Amino acid sequence: MKNLIVSVIICFLAVQIGAAQSQCSKYYPLEEGVSFQYTSYNGKGKLEGKTDYTVSNVSDSGGKTSATMQMKYQDRKGKEIMSSDYGFTCEGNVVKIDFQSLMNQQMMQQFAAVEIDVTGTDIELPNNLTVGQELADANVKIAADMGGMTMNMNVETINRKVEKREKISSPVGDFECYVIYSENKTKMPMMGNKIFPSRVWLAEGIGMVKQESYNQKGKLTNSMVLTKFQK
């Protein structure tokens, strides 16, 4: 059960990778063929796996840009565990990621053998970020048929705010980033409410450069770092 909660949180954070840049978004390049790779580590810095993303099927209509992000996840031994596609839109001054895109990576593995119903609200990222700015909450609700009984799970991303600006280094280069703090609140049967803080480092023209997740005591549990970027 603990691994399931952690998987849900990782997937909820991962959607922040899949936003896009076009004329209406300046944080992520929205061009067919653009690719990213993120390497994941546990709290002790040991390799857990790699996730590759590729932008495809970009289209513009009525001032709205739509695209598909293709994702492939491999474990620390290089074995491909799963792949999936999800969509997102960019309109006006905001990128919106379909809440169903939250169902990816380890979460999909956990629910691969059961029937699920997913509802929720999109996660948003505006162009004009400033330190101290508060961002809209988001959530995903999952009802899983466990064979005669239904397990309900609710994950909310709350208290989203732009915490600071900070320059960080990655294998791809050095970037001036906005640091976005949020708390991921989970509610599951027999587990009560759990809150897991996280931070995302976001650079213009690149997107997410780094992400860290923490336990309820503030201890680092896992991280993701941009290790490849190709336009």
Side-chain angles (χ1 to χ4, degrees):
M1 186 66 73
K2 180 180 178 181
N3 290 336
L4 178 58
I5 293 175
V6 172
S7 297
V8 171
I9 298 306
I10 291 173
C11 294
F12 209 84
L13 293 166
V15 302
Q16 298 183 67
I17 300 169
Q21 178 189 14
S22 65
Q23 293 180 350
C24 63
S25 177
K26 63 183 180 181
Y27 285 99
Y28 293 79
L30 181 53
E31 302 172 22
E32 291 190 9
V34 171
S35 61
F36 311 80
Q37 184 184 81
Y38 293 88
T39 301
S40 303
Y41 304 91
N42 64 19
K44 296 181 179 180
K46 293 184 178 179
L47 177 68
E48 287 194 331
K50 296 182 179 181
T51 308
D52 290 282
Y53 295 86
T54 303
V55 179
S56 66
N57 301 324
V58 180
S59 63
D60 295 281
S61 178
K64 177 188 290 188
T65 300
S66 301
T68 300
M69 185 70 77
Q70 299 175 332
M71 183 275 289
K72 293 183 179 180
Y73 176 75
Q74 56 182 298
D75 64 16
R76 61 180 178 272
K77 296 181 179 180
K79 180 181 178 180
E80 185 175 317
I81 301 300
M82 66 163 295
S83 62
S84 68
D85 296 344
Y86 62 87
F88 52 87
T89 60
C90 178
E91 185 174 13
N93 193 41
V94 178
V95 171
K96 294 185 178 182
I97 303 98
D98 184 347
F99 64 82
Q100 294 197 48
S101 69
L102 304 177
M103 292 294 296
N104 56 34
Q105 292 191 20
Q106 293 96 331
M107 189 190 295
M108 288 295 291
Q109 296 177 55
Q110 297 286 345
F111 291 115
V114 300
E115 183 176 342
I116 60 173
D117 180 52
V118 184
T119 57
T121 58
D122 296 341
I123 191 165
E124 300 181 355
L125 179 69
N127 278 334
N128 301 321
L129 298 178
T130 58
V131 175
Q133 180 180 1
E134 295 183 357
L135 305 177
D137 295 344
N139 74 79
V140 59
K141 297 179 180 179
I142 305 165
D145 185 349
M146 308 299 288
M149 65 174 290
T150 300
M151 183 183 75
N152 294 303
M153 181 189 309
N154 185 52
V155 181
E156 298 176 88
T157 295
I158 60 175
N159 297 327
R160 297 178 66 217
K161 62 183 179 182
V162 182
E163 192 174 51
K164 58 184 176 180
R165 283 182 66 87
E166 183 175 79
K167 187 174 183 178
I168 64 169
S169 298
S170 79
V172 176
D174 299 334
F175 301 98
E176 189 72 31
C177 298
Y178 279 106
V179 182
I180 299 177
Y181 172 86
S182 63
E183 295 173 349
N184 296 279
K185 182 179 179 181
T186 66
K187 184 177 181 180
M188 296 177 63
M190 299 178 291
M191 295 296 292
N193 292 332
K194 303 289 184 181
I195 296 178
F196 301 90
S198 69
R199 286 182 174 87
V200 171
W201 282 256
L202 193 69
E204 290 187 20
I206 297 293
M208 192 185 86
V209 177
K210 181 181 177 181
Q211 175 267 320
E212 291 184 347
S213 301
Y214 315 93
N215 63 20
Q216 295 183 94
K217 296 182 179 180
K219 182 179 179 180
L220 181 68
T221 56
N222 56 73
S223 63
M224 298 175 66
V225 178
L226 180 66
T227 46
K228 289 184 182 180
F229 176 76
Q230 184 174 357
K231 298 180 75 171

